[in-house]
Amino acid sequence: MISIRLHGLRAGIGSAPKGPGSQGDAMNQGERKKRTIPEIRESKRTGEKMVYTSVLDYTSAKWAEAAGVDVCVVGDSLAMTAHGHPNTIPATMDMMVLHSQAVRRGAMNTFVLGCMPYQSYSTVDRALTNAARFMQEAGCDAVKPQGGKTVRETLANHVYKVQDSCSR
């Protein structure tokens, strides 16, 4: 048996709780309920603790799901940790989509967040095209650009302008 410890959560692979209605019981039946964006937003408001972990491959995704992780994050740090690059700059969309697909296959019932690599969101068209790749090709539940509020506000303003011009 393999044992995993993530942010205070402890579970042994293959030894999940067996009680009726328990998360382990649901997982054994393949019925684990995936977190939703509204639940994640609400957790920030209420202070509910959620477990996020960086996951790069199918096997790690299986372990994370069995351990009850709420969100599997596929981050551009995989350029360093999985591919041996000295920084995250070499991460490409093809690389990110490939890893995100593997994570999705390994964690079918876990929320998967794909992180957009460097320059994949430098224009609105590029950002929308690449976000669609994460959603359509990799099955991610959400995507996020790197860079915090400045990038988020810039992209939101551009997307708003595109939506506004299309609705006229």
Side-chain angles (χ1 to χ4, degrees):
M1 178 180 79
I2 298 170
S3 182
I4 298 176
R5 187 164 192 61
L6 299 167
H7 303 287
L9 177 68
R10 182 170 164 69
I13 304 297
S15 67
K18 304 286 190 240
S22 72
Q23 186 178 16
D25 186 52
M27 284 174 33
N28 290 336
Q29 297 171 17
E31 298 173 7
R32 180 172 186 249
K33 187 174 180 264
K34 186 190 309 184
R35 290 291 194 152
T36 64
I37 291 173
E39 288 175 336
I40 293 168
R41 283 187 179 142
E42 181 68 8
S43 75
K44 288 194 174 285
R45 189 184 71 72
T46 63
E48 174 193 357
K49 300 294 184 196
M50 295 183 76
V51 178
Y52 289 65
T53 191
S54 184
V55 181
L56 311 177
D57 58 52
Y58 173 84
T59 303
S60 298
K62 295 289 279 185
W63 291 349
E65 185 161 291
V69 167
D70 294 300
V71 179
C72 289
V73 180
V74 183
D76 60 359
S77 60
L78 65 81
M80 297 182 305
T81 58
H83 294 270
H85 292 291
N87 55 46
T88 61
I89 302 297
T92 64
M93 275 304 300
D94 288 341
M95 187 186 292
M96 298 302 295
V97 167
L98 179 72
H99 283 272
S100 296
Q101 289 169 333
V103 170
R104 170 49 66 216
R105 286 190 300 269
M108 295 296 294
N109 298 307
T110 302
F111 192 96
V112 175
L113 175 64
C115 297
M116 298 179 79
Y118 179 70
Q119 291 297 311
S120 66
Y121 49 90
S122 57
T123 67
V124 175
D125 287 342
R126 188 174 230 183
L128 294 174
T129 298
N130 287 327
R133 287 192 67 196
F134 270 116
M135 305 295 278
Q136 291 176 328
E137 295 176 36
C140 288
D141 298 295
V143 297
K144 82 174 189 74
Q146 307 295 330
K149 288 183 180 181
T150 304
V151 171
R152 183 180 69 207
E153 290 168 2
T154 300
L155 286 175
N157 287 333
H158 287 306
V159 170
Y160 175 76
K161 288 175 186 173
V162 169
Q163 288 174 341
D164 187 43
S165 66
C166 290
S167 64
R168 291 181 190 199

